[in-house]
Amino acid sequence: MSAQSTNGSEYPTTGNGTAAAENVLLDVRNLQKWFPITAGFFRRTVGHVRAVDDISFHVLQGETLGLVGESGCGKTTAGRCILRAYDLTGGQVFFQDHDGKMVDLGPLTNNEMKPYRQQLRMIFQDPFNSLNPRMPVIDIVGDPLKINKVAAGKELEDRVASLLARVGLRPEYMRRYPHAFSGGERQRIGIARALALDPRLVVADEAVSALDVSVRAQILNLIKDLQEEFNLTYIFVSHDLSVIEYICDRVVVMYVGKIVEVAETEELFAQPFHPYTEALLSAVPNPDPRMRQQKDRIVLEGDVADPANPPSGCYFHPRCRYVQDQCSLETPELREIAPGHFAACHFAEELTLAGVTASGELG
Amino acid sequence: MESPVLIEIKNLKTHFFLDEGTVQAVNGVDFTIHQHKTLCVVGESGCGKSVTARSILQIVDQPGRIVEGEILYHRPFRLSAAGNGEWTSGETGANGNSTTEIIDLAALDPRGREIRAIRGQDISMIFQEPMTSLSPIHTVGNQITEAIKLHTDMLDDEADEHAVELLRRVGIPRPEERLGTYPFELSGGMRQRVMIAMALSCNPALLIADEPTTAVDVTTQAQILELLEELQDEYGMAIMLITHDLGVVAEMADDVVVMYLGQVAERGDVDSIFHDPKHPYTQSLLKSIPRLGVSRNRQRLDSIRGMVPDPYNRPSGCMFGPRCDHFMPGRCDAISPPAIPLGPGREVHCLLYEDE
């Protein structure tokens, strides 16, 4: 099962403080993904968009890790690099094999990657574009089983039926085409497809963003239930902080291709250490009109920095309200401020930042 | 004090006549927009909130049309006759009235002169996706001054100056240079600001904002919402904000209309909608949203079972009946619930409250 990669780097046996070794399912080290900017007739490369620029994090077995940030922060790109939907520009993605060995997925060829593709699956954002309109549900959900020679014929049909039943769809509908289903039902089909091969890690990229409020709650509950049932590990990519808070155990906050903060969910929301996280939390509208007066909303100036031409020093400094001279000169490292709580800010210890306090019950 | 009525919608019905059948997108909607106030219309996709807004301006796409009902526009006084002047605040009209005339917008010809004079001048609109609602082949300056020159007698130079002033007001840096740029050169947040500048160019009495922050990031959303609040203080227009995000409603609204499948489920002031919701749909909607600082302690979200029905197969009786926990067989599927008044500006469409 273990792939023979000639140029894959060895997984360091003693972690550099980022991970406790055994139950780390995925360890991302210095991941980089740059997209070339081309110009002219010969498509000469004139620059790079640093979509993901040197990020490191790990995912523990059975946990849900949130990747959160605004559009263009690289959260989706990071998720796709882990699945090797993109080739890496630099860095390593270590994934724990069935026999406990850490394998670097980065340099694997498509053939070598095959066994891992069963274990790493994805749920997409848009339930309308991510399902082939010309394929009936049985093919959409069943093709991964057929291609990987897991099941065929009657057995395949049974497995698809039980998968559909598990995600809350009626198995009788398996001959129907995607257009016959509503948005929430399509997302359930997408989830069934992702689960068909008993994956170990599922990357959910904005899996509930396109859904209506009442349906979103159903799908979030389903995602949580399935995790318990199949012992799944999720990387949950989202821009919606309230969804992240609800579903994630730990959160990675990204800004312009870099990680600015990593912490356990409760800690991050209660006591952020990076000014960007504070601003992000404060920008979320609170669905309680009585909180309107009490809240001191931080409104950031300007727009998200251009990842092709990022500012000097800390990328966030032009918009930061605590900015000092050092910020535009030195790039801050991601440092451990409190146990398990990392932030990339020069003044993380000195600043007193506001988190989110719970408001009263509604309704 | 109640501020004067600006728009009164009575039993509005807008239907779309398609080959597959008639879609009753808006089916008997009543509500009122007051001057200088913010009304939020909230509901899931397909509930008819956008079509209601488009009906006010008579810009419903073919094959849709208003089949019944009235949209009464109580036109306020302008302080100056120039057309883009300040509005009087309330009761200072010459004859003691706050309004000059009452126009039924629903009865106007969608292509006629009267409604075109109202669009952009009295009532203007901003849309969800600023990239598709701005013209990609005209400069920002061109698009803003077009509205100004159409509704006022300003000359080119004056209109340009006014446009620069507006762009500065909505927080666009170096507005003089921005007049010559095209929408693709701007970020999403900047484009939405341009849309707002354009909508405010003639100082409208009502600004309709259809999901203005759905396509932008959360920090940009905070900027845009803040800007709309500031501009409302300054210009005094009423805002009709259409959204599916209950957080935005709680931050912005004075009054709320909750819609479900083309009908009003419940309406009232923002505090009673959030803290004393009456309709089972509103109640379960509020319970189904994950909320910062609260949802973490709760194991599961309460979800509404089932889904919004297909518009061709509307349930009989109450539209929410098939998904409702308080469903009363023989009543809810037989009687379309009438408006039950609960107080000034507060009513609910639900048979549970019939006796009150």
Side-chain angles (χ1 to χ4, degrees), chain A residues 116-151:
Chain A
Y116 299 104
R117 294 217 188 274
Q118 300 187 22
Q119 303 175 33
L120 297 154
R121 306 288 291 168
M122 187 153 184
I123 302 170
F124 295 92
Q125 168 171 12
D126 185 345
F128 292 87
N129 291 325
S130 60
L131 302 179
N132 188 336
R134 293 190 181 82
M135 282 164 85
V137 173
I138 180 163
D139 288 348
I140 291 175
V141 179
D143 264 9
L145 296 166
K146 212 184 284 174
I147 290 163
N148 288 289
K149 304 197 173 63
V150 175

Side-chain angles (χ1 to χ4, degrees), chain A residues 81 114 151 159 224 250 279 301 313 332:
Chain A
C81 283
K114 252 191 184 158
R159 287 194 63 157
K224 261 198 158 170
R250 277 191 316 129
E301 303 270 316

Side-chain angles (χ1 to χ4, degrees), chain A residues 70-71 212 214 218 297 300, chain B residues 44-45 217 219 223 251 304:
Chain A
E70 294 179 277
S71 47
D212 267 320
S214 69
Q218 294 173 0
R297 186 158 55 189
L300 289 178
Chain B
E44 295 176 271
S45 44
D217 278 315
T219 55
Q223 293 172 351
E251 301 250 331
I304 309 177

Side-chain angles (χ1 to χ4, degrees), chain A residues 93-107:
Chain A
V93 176
F94 290 104
F95 180 69
Q96 195 189 65
D97 211 336
H98 274 301
D99 44 19
K101 203 168 148 262
M102 297 300 272
V103 181
D104 183 7
L105 301 180

Side-chain angles (χ1 to χ4, degrees), chain A residues 31-35 51-52 74-90 93 105-108 110 113 117 122 124 205:
Chain A
L31 177 69
Q32 282 183 321
K33 178 63 194 173
W34 296 8
F35 293 100
V52 172
K75 54 189 192 297
T76 296
T77 309
R80 294 191 167 204
C81 283
I82 290 166
L83 296 175
R84 281 291 312 280
Y86 292 141
D87 285 329
L88 315 184
T89 306
V93 176
L105 301 180
L108 299 190
N110 268 342
M113 192 61 205
R117 294 217 188 274
M122 187 153 184
F124 295 92
D205 187 359

Side-chain angles (χ1 to χ4, degrees), chain A residues 69-71 182 185 211-218 220-222 224-225 228 239 241-249 265-266 269 276 279-281 283-290 292 295 297-304 319 356-363, chain B residues 43-46 187 189-190 193 216-223 225-226 229 244-254 270-271 274-277 281 283 285-308 323:
Chain A
E70 294 179 277
S71 47
S182 72
E185 289 173 313
L211 304 175
D212 267 320
V213 191
S214 69
V215 180
R216 180 181 302 183
Q218 294 173 0
L220 283 174
N221 284 337
L222 175 67
K224 261 198 158 170
D225 294 346
E228 272 175 35
H239 69 277
L241 286 150
S242 47
V243 170
I244 288 277
E245 189 193 24
Y246 173 64
I247 204 148
C248 295
D249 301 310
T265 309
E266 256 162 275
F269 283 78
Y276 177 64
L280 211 54
L281 291 175
V284 178
N286 190 337
D288 183 354
R290 289 179 191 168
R292 227 188 270 184
K295 193 163 151 189
R297 186 158 55 189
I298 304 166
V299 176
L300 289 178
E301 303 270 316
D303 285 322
V304 177
R319 306 175 76 192
V356 180
T357 44
S359 55
E361 263 323 294
L362 290 181
Chain B
E44 295 176 271
S45 44
S187 70
M190 285 296 158
R193 286 169 196 268
V216 298
D217 278 315
V218 58
T219 55
T220 314
Q221 165 169 297
Q223 293 172 351
L225 295 181
E226 193 104 325
E229 278 179 333
H244 66 276
D245 186 336
L246 289 161
V248 172
V249 176
E251 301 250 331
M252 298 290 289
D254 295 307
V270 65
D271 196 73
F274 277 83
H275 287 280
D276 186 24
Y281 177 61
Q283 291 169 354
L285 206 57
L286 282 168
K287 280 185 195 139
S288 70
I289 45 171
R291 295 164 53 217
L292 284 187
V294 176
S295 51
R296 190 73 199 154
N297 313 324
R298 208 164 25 186
Q299 267 309 305
R300 291 172 64 87
L301 292 170
D302 298 321
S303 58
I304 309 177
R305 69 191 137 87
M307 59 204 138
V308 180
R323 305 177 75 188

Side-chain angles (χ1 to χ4, degrees), chain B residues 40-111:
Chain B
C40 282
V41 182
V42 64
E44 295 176 271
S45 44
C47 74
K49 52 194 193 299
S50 289
V51 176
T52 306
R54 287 174 165 262
S55 300
I56 295 176
L57 278 175
Q58 287 269 19
I59 51 170
V60 181
D61 289 322
Q62 287 293 339
R65 97 183 119 78
I66 299 175
V67 291
E68 216 186 304
E70 290 177 317
I71 303 172
L72 299 179
Y73 170 43
H74 299 247
R75 191 178 219 167
F77 279 113
R78 295 269 192 185
L79 274 185
S80 74
N84 65 331
E86 302 272 309
W87 301 96
T88 58
S89 55
E91 52 286 295
T92 42
N95 52 359
N97 265 335
S98 58
T99 46
T100 44
E101 53 187 330
I102 296 174
I103 308 167
D104 182 8
L105 301 178
L108 297 180
D109 174 11
R111 311 172 77 99

